[in-house]
C-alpha cells in the first residue's frame, strides 16, 4: 500500500525557512542546500561571481531559473575559457535567450574571469583569496526576529583593488553583501 502523498516541495514542512524561498521548488532546494553553506570550491565560487553579476536589477529566482543555461553558455564556468572570450563569443552570448542578454553583464563576466585567474596566480586560489577576508570562518548570526537583522555596513572584501590588482567588476552595489551570504560567509539563523 502506498504511503501518504508528499506535499509539493515549495509548501512549508517542519523545517524553518526564510519566507523569500517559498515560491518554487527550485528556490526551496537552493535555500535548503546552498544558501549560507560555506563554499570552498573555486569553480563554484566563480560561478556565483558570474551569477551575482547577472542578477543586478533582477530577482535571484530569475537567475536560478536560468542557471543551467548560464552553465552551458559560459562553458561550465571555466574561467580559463571565459577569459579568452572575444567579440564573436560575446555576440553569441548577447543572442542567447537562455541568459540575461546585457552587454555590461557579459563584459563583467569576462573581466571577472580574467581577474579570477590573476587572483589565483597571486594567491594560489580564488578560495584562499576570498576566505582570507573573514579569517577562513563564516560569520554566524543568531537573530530571533527579522527586525534584529541589520545589513553589513560594507563588504569585508576590497572588490576593486587588492595590492594594486584590479579584482572584480559588478554593476550592482549589493553584489558584495549578497555574495558573502551565498558563499556562506555571513549566515542568518532564525
Amino acid at each position: 500500500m502506498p504511503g501518504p502523498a508528499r506535499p509539493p516541495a515549495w509548501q512549508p514542512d517542519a523545517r524553518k525557512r526564510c519566507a523569500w524561498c517559498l515560491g518554487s521548488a527550485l528556490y526551496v532546494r537552493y535555500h535548503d542546500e546552498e544558501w549560507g553553506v560555506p563554499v570552498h570550491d573555486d569553480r563554484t565560487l566563480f560561478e556565483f561571481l558570474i551569477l551575482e553579476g547577472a542578477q543586478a536589477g533582477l530577482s535571484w529566482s530569475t537567475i536560478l531559473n536560468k542557471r543551467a543555461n548560464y552553465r552551458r553558455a559560459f562553458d561550465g564556468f571555466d574561467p580559463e575559457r571565459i577569459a579568452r572570450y572575444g567579440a564573436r563569443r560575446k555576440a553569441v552570448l548577447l543572442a542567447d535567450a537562455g541568459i540575461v542578454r546585457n552587454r555590461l553583464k557579459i563584459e563583467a563576466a569576462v573581466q571577472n574571469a580574467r581577474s579570477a585567474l590573476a587572483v589565483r596566480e597571486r594567491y594560489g586560489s580564488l578560495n584562499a583569496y576570498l576566505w582570507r577576508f573573514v579569517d577562513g570562518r563564516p560569520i554566524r548570526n543568531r537573530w530571533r526576529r527579522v527586525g534584529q537583522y541589520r545589513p553589513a555596513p560594507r563588504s569585508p572584501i576590497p572588490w576593486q583593488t587588492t595590492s594594486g590588482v584590479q579584482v572584480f567588476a559588478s554593476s550592482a552595489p549589493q553584489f558584495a553583501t549578497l555574495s558573502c551570504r551565498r558563499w556562506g560567509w555571513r549566515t542568518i539563523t532564525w
Side-chain angles (χ1 to χ4, degrees):
M1 175 188 270
R6 292 180 57 178
W10 61 85
Q11 289 186 357
D13 59 22
R15 289 189 246 182
K16 285 186 177 182
R17 291 190 176 100
C18 300
W20 55 259
C21 77
L22 301 177
S24 74
L26 180 64
Y27 225 177
V28 168
R29 191 168 45 254
Y30 168 76
H31 177 276
D32 291 354
E33 298 171 10
E34 295 185 86
W35 175 259
V37 176
V39 175
H40 294 281
D41 175 72
D42 271 20
R43 183 73 60 103
T44 306
L45 288 167
F46 181 68
E47 174 181 353
F48 279 122
L49 279 172
I50 298 296
L51 296 176
E52 289 290 350
Q55 183 204 353
L58 303 170
S59 71
W60 185 242
S61 62
T62 296
I63 301 306
L64 280 179
N65 285 317
K66 293 177 177 285
R67 191 178 194 179
N69 296 326
Y70 269 90
R71 194 169 282 125
R72 171 195 46 77
F74 283 91
D75 292 308
F77 299 109
D78 180 346
E80 288 89 0
R81 294 183 75 176
I82 297 168
R84 293 191 307 265
Y85 286 1
R88 186 177 301 155
R89 184 69 171 106
K90 292 174 191 175
V92 168
L93 290 170
L94 282 169
D96 188 334
I99 66 170
V100 177
R101 296 177 289 180
N102 177 291
R103 185 186 58 76
L104 293 176
K105 292 178 182 188
I106 290 169
E107 291 288 345
V110 174
Q111 177 56 48
N112 286 342
R114 293 174 183 148
S115 296
L117 295 176
V119 163
R120 188 171 70 190
E121 185 173 319
R122 184 171 185 133
Y123 297 95
S125 70
L126 194 55
N127 177 63
Y129 171 74
L130 293 171
W131 279 90
R132 73 192 189 108
F133 295 105
V134 291
D135 296 325
R137 304 186 297 278
I139 299 166
R140 302 264 183 218
N141 296 303
R142 303 269 180 219
W143 298 301
R144 295 190 177 276
R145 295 179 317 278
V146 173
Q148 291 176 299
Y149 169 74
R150 296 289 178 262
R154 65 179 184 83
S155 167
I157 305 171
W159 289 99
Q160 295 306 309
T161 59
T162 298
S163 305
V165 176
Q166 176 67 33
V167 186
F168 299 105
S170 172
S171 57
Q174 75 274 20
F175 174 78
T177 302
L178 288 172
S179 295
C180 291
R181 290 203 195 100
R182 293 202 211 289
W183 300 337
W185 288 358
R186 185 175 299 279
T187 61
I188 299 173
T189 306
W190 303 110

